[in-house]
Amino acid sequence: MPIQFYPEQKIFKLDTKTTSYVFQVGFYDYLMHLYYGAKVSDADLEYLSYTCPHASHSPNVEHVLHKNFSKDICRMEYSCNGCGDLRGSSLSILRSTGTPDTDIIYVSHKIYNGKPKIVGQPATYAGEGEATTLEVLCRDPVSGAEVTLFYTVFENLGAMTRHIIVRNASEQPMDIQRVMSACVDFHDANDMDFIHLFGNWGKERMFERAPLLHGTQSVSSKRGLSSHAHNPFIALCSRNATEETGEVYGFNFVYTGNFLASAEMDSDGGARVLMGINPEGFLWHLDPGETFVAPEVVMVYSGQGLGGMSRIFHRLYRNHLCRGPWKQKKRPILINNWEATYFKFDEEKLYEIAKTAFELGIEMLVMDDGWFGTRDTAHSALGDWYVNETKLKGGLGKLTERINALGMKFGIWFEPEMVSRDSDLFRAHPDWALQSPNRPMSIARDQYVLDMSRPDVRDYLFDCIKKVMDSANIAYIKWDFNRSMTEVGSALLVSNRQQEVFHRYVLGLYELLERILTAYPNLLLEGCASGGGRFDPAWLYYAPQFWTSDDTDAIERLGIQYGTSICYPVSTMGAHVSACPNHQVGRSTPLQTRGNVAMAGTFGYELDLTKLSDEQKEIVRQQCADYHKYYDVIHNGDLYRLISPWKDRTRCAWMFVSEDRREALLTYVVMRCEIYQRYYIRLAGLDPNKQYRNEQTGQILSGDTLMNAGICIPEVLRDFDSRVFHFIAVD
Ligand code: GLA
């Protein structure tokens, strides 16, 4: 059994094939954390349990005055506010007395096969025999709060998940000020680095690694979405960890709203990692008997460097987070008209693009922003989700019939959560937008955010989307979201519930997404938020692909896709070939390179194909054929990042290896040309004992030669040039 309880020592041991996570019901029934890392044997559990000297100045109430125990020094399993553990707290509950002191102790536990669903929220899932769960019930004897800690281990994957349920089991109301979904105390973080993914519009998920310092390092969002600025991901790794060696602990929050992720190092070099809903702007009221469910955190330990950690996240998300038919089904190559036409299109222009696209091997036309209401610029009509028949003569039905008749699928853009100031919807229902009494509403991209905590707003949106969906044969929706939230209040909620709006918004969004997917189970949903502003695991539960960034330049995309791949699989990353000079950065790159980079994602095009020369069209035709040829190894294979685009900013390389290690695909891109005689790239992930044929050169070399000596690139490639090499094992 992957999860064991040892009654004598009162120790819980949660094992995967490669990891152990150990904690104990310790002094006075407090839960004490003992260990997380590479697998340890069951024989030494006694050794792992420990005492910590109580310093005279460490606060402890009389009944816990014990010379070997101090909540402020010991490693606690789930830290509480204001009762002696003065490091970052996981839980803070405001009692009806107005005081926020919180203190929980162990009551009971259950261990069972499988993984419970988190009702109404996205989470990883497991089939029969794929996971085991531990629930630990704790109680605060003073406030009457009951707290259940959930732990699930995916034994074969080296991953585990956690979430929390808080129940008001008292007779008085209470308010949750802060509830983290995971807390992990490390006993030695002296030589650890802190990794996170920061960014901005057009520059999402930049990788940053720096020594963990004393004090708290944190990333967060209070924008209402997980955001471009910081991804809900952090990792701690040993200072000597590399891409393929060393220890890495990754934490990723399955939530698309405000979050906090922090690591706090104390003077002894211990560290506490916390991850959960951002307490700023959050206060959740619980009447007696009510419960609150804090979202899931995924925790991955790898002894094989960052690459090892990423591959565990990728497998987990591909197989236990993405759902529905599109989890397995091959994604269609799409052509999106946004960068081809922006708002200036009609049905003939779209048909013309689709016709050319179909001839080249593209399988779906996506009609982007501008098809509804009076939407000819970004300044109007969001919320008015009816077709603009002046633009699309004959309506959506006619257009989709023509596209379908070509043999192509049809997809459409929506930005359901928004309303334009200039829209029929806002004129009719100004109170449907998020707002705070007497406070001017901030505008961004000339739009407001609808209050998704309101059932009437969600019903309206569902009906609008349903009408459109039922009027034509629509295979795909791109679900966009283009601004942060401000003045976050709801006209429907009473004052002591207003700080719940951020989270209620997110729950409302989940409900609407689920409703749409239930009504249209074959729909392929692609998430988008001004590019990749909501690229998080919560979205991947609904949408198996997410538009990675509005920056479509192949060279900029190297960094963006590299950073995104730190925890998200390439099968979820929207990546398109766009026009040159690139619309975002003005750079011109070869069409081959644009294709090679976009192929490390859910492949598509975003340019006016009718303007391509015959020679360029031939390249596109070849790329579409390659996409099918390499689909399996790219989408279901393991990713090995070989050369980081940030290392010296001259080149970047990565490869995919099939699970059986019989096939591999290497992509190499030159960011800035340098003169050299011969250049070697060492491959990774191959079987050292197998021979591989390089399909491009015909050369046969063994796996160990390719991995240790490397593959030689004899010619000097020019700026932005790239090469792809396909390796097949020979028997
Ligand atoms: C956002 C998206 C783009 C495009 C535009 C349309 O910026 O990220 O891909 O859909 O909106 O307005």
Side-chain angles (χ1 to χ4, degrees), residues 460-471:
Y460 169 80
L461 293 174
F462 180 77
D463 289 345
C464 289
I465 294 170
K466 185 167 179 343
K467 262 189 206 125
V468 173
M469 289 296 291
D470 293 347
S471 73

Side-chain angles (χ1 to χ4, degrees), residues 43-64:
D44 305 319
L45 293 178
E46 197 72 53
Y47 169 79
L48 289 178
S49 59
Y50 70 105
T51 57
C52 55
H54 173 259
S56 62
H57 53 269
S58 288
N60 265 344
V61 287
E62 212 179 333
H63 80 278
V64 291

Side-chain angles (χ1 to χ4, degrees), residues 338 368-369 375 413 445 478 480 482 528 530-531 547 550:
W338 179 242
D368 211 280
D369 195 355
R375 181 87 166 167
W413 180 96
R445 215 192 190 212
K478 175 175 171 187
D480 210 340
N482 282 309
C528 177
S530 291
W547 181 227
D550 275 349

Side-chain angles (χ1 to χ4, degrees), residues 15 17 80 145 154 223 486 543 559 568 581 588 621 667:
D15 284 338
K17 266 189 181 163
C80 290
F154 287 84
R223 294 161 190 267
T486 53
Y568 306 108
S588 288
R621 199 172 276 121
T667 306

Side-chain angles (χ1 to χ4, degrees), residues 126-183:
E128 193 65 30
E130 288 177 326
T132 309
T133 298
L134 162 68
E135 279 181 31
V136 184
L137 176 67
C138 299
R139 181 173 294 129
D140 180 345
V142 176
S143 71
E146 274 184 6
V147 182
T148 310
L149 313 179
F150 287 79
Y151 301 80
T152 295
V153 291
F154 287 84
E155 196 195 357
N156 289 323
L157 284 172
M160 60 188 283
T161 61
R162 297 172 63 169
H163 76 276
I164 307 289
I165 296 185
V166 181
R167 192 171 91 87
N168 182 354
S170 80
E171 306 281 290
Q172 301 298 322
M174 54 177 65
D175 293 286
I176 306 174
Q177 287 187 312
R178 179 180 174 100
V179 54
M180 293 290 113
S181 295
C183 167

Side-chain angles (χ1 to χ4, degrees), residues 207-513:
F207 177 88
E208 190 164 70
R209 173 175 175 172
L212 186 64
L213 302 173
H214 291 102
T216 303
Q217 273 159 273
S218 69
V219 292
S220 64
S221 166
K222 53 177 197 169
R223 294 161 190 267
L225 66 161
S226 49
S227 93
H228 302 78
H230 297 287
N231 198 258
F233 164 85
I234 58 170
L236 294 188
C237 69
S238 51
R239 181 88 13 95
N240 61 2
T242 66
E243 187 59 33
E244 296 300 333
T245 62
E247 295 195 292
V248 187
Y249 297 84
F251 301 85
N252 200 192
F253 195 28
V254 188
Y255 191 60
T256 197
N258 293 348
F259 73 92
L260 173 68
S262 65
E264 176 185 11
M265 184 153 99
D266 59 43
S267 61
D268 288 339
R272 169 169 294 169
V273 167
L274 294 173
M275 183 172 259
I277 292 177
N278 194 340
E280 195 172 338
F282 173 86
L283 187 70
W284 195 273
H285 186 73
L286 281 185
D287 278 326
E290 284 187 339
T291 55
F292 180 83
V293 184
E296 176 164 286
V297 164
V298 177
M299 310 198 327
V300 167
Y301 166 83
S302 152
Q304 264 116 43
L306 274 162
M309 176 198 71
S310 300
R311 288 186 287 277
I312 297 173
F313 274 118
H314 296 173
R315 285 200 176 152
L316 183 74
Y317 290 173
R318 277 202 310 256
N319 300 313
H320 300 277
L321 181 64
C322 294
R323 306 177 287 167
W326 291 101
K327 169 180 166 177
Q328 309 288 3
K329 252 168 73 177
K330 198 190 254 187
R331 314 289 169 73
I333 306 177
L334 66 84
I335 169 77
N336 178 305
N337 72 305
W338 179 242
E339 289 198 21
T341 65
Y342 295 102
F343 292 103
K344 275 205 177 125
F345 62 86
D346 58 16
E347 80 289 352
E348 282 310 325
K349 182 67 203 169
L350 292 177
Y351 184 72
E352 205 183 289
I353 293 177
K355 199 160 166 286
T356 312
F358 179 72
E359 284 160 15
L360 303 179
I362 294 170
E363 299 158 309
M364 179 164 75
L365 173 83
V366 174
M367 176 172 68
D368 211 280
D369 195 355
W371 57 266
F372 52 91
T374 54
R375 181 87 166 167
D376 289 320
T377 65
H379 304 299
S380 63
L382 291 171
D384 302 342
W385 299 111
Y386 38 84
V387 177
N388 177 345
E389 298 214 8
T390 321
K391 245 184 197 175
L392 301 180
K393 292 190 191 63
L396 212 51
K398 186 156 170 238
L399 175 65
T400 52
E401 272 165 30
R402 289 178 80 194
I403 304 291
N404 289 163
L406 285 172
M408 288 178 91
K409 293 181 193 304
F410 181 83
I412 195 166
W413 180 96
F414 275 103
E415 195 180 355
E417 300 157 74
M418 298 289 164
V419 62
S420 300
R421 184 161 39 178
D422 176 7
S423 66
D424 294 343
L425 181 65
F426 189 65
R427 281 183 284 272
H429 297 286
D431 56 322
W432 280 13
L434 290 173
Q435 55 202 284
S436 174
N438 306 321
R439 174 84 55 204
M441 292 159 73
S442 303
I443 192 115
R445 215 192 190 212
D446 233 345
Q447 62 199 50
Y448 299 125
V449 186
L450 287 173
D451 177 0
M452 297 290 286
S453 72
R454 292 177 67 130
D456 50 356
V457 168
R458 300 199 297 269
D459 287 346
Y460 169 80
L461 293 174
F462 180 77
D463 289 345
C464 289
I465 294 170
K466 185 167 179 343
K467 262 189 206 125
V468 173
M469 289 296 291
D470 293 347
S471 73
N473 185 18
I474 297 172
Y476 159 113
I477 288 179
K478 175 175 171 187
W479 185 296
D480 210 340
F481 181 95
N482 282 309
R483 62 158 290 185
S484 300
M485 297 181 202
T486 53
E487 298 87 30
V488 177
S490 171
L492 280 195
L493 288 175
V494 294
S495 61
N496 71 340
R497 296 264 182 195
Q498 287 296 334
Q499 288 193 72
E500 299 177 8
V501 178
F502 269 122
H503 183 60
R504 283 179 182 271
Y505 182 105
V506 173
L507 296 181
L509 168 64
Y510 293 158
E511 192 230 43
L512 179 60
L513 289 168

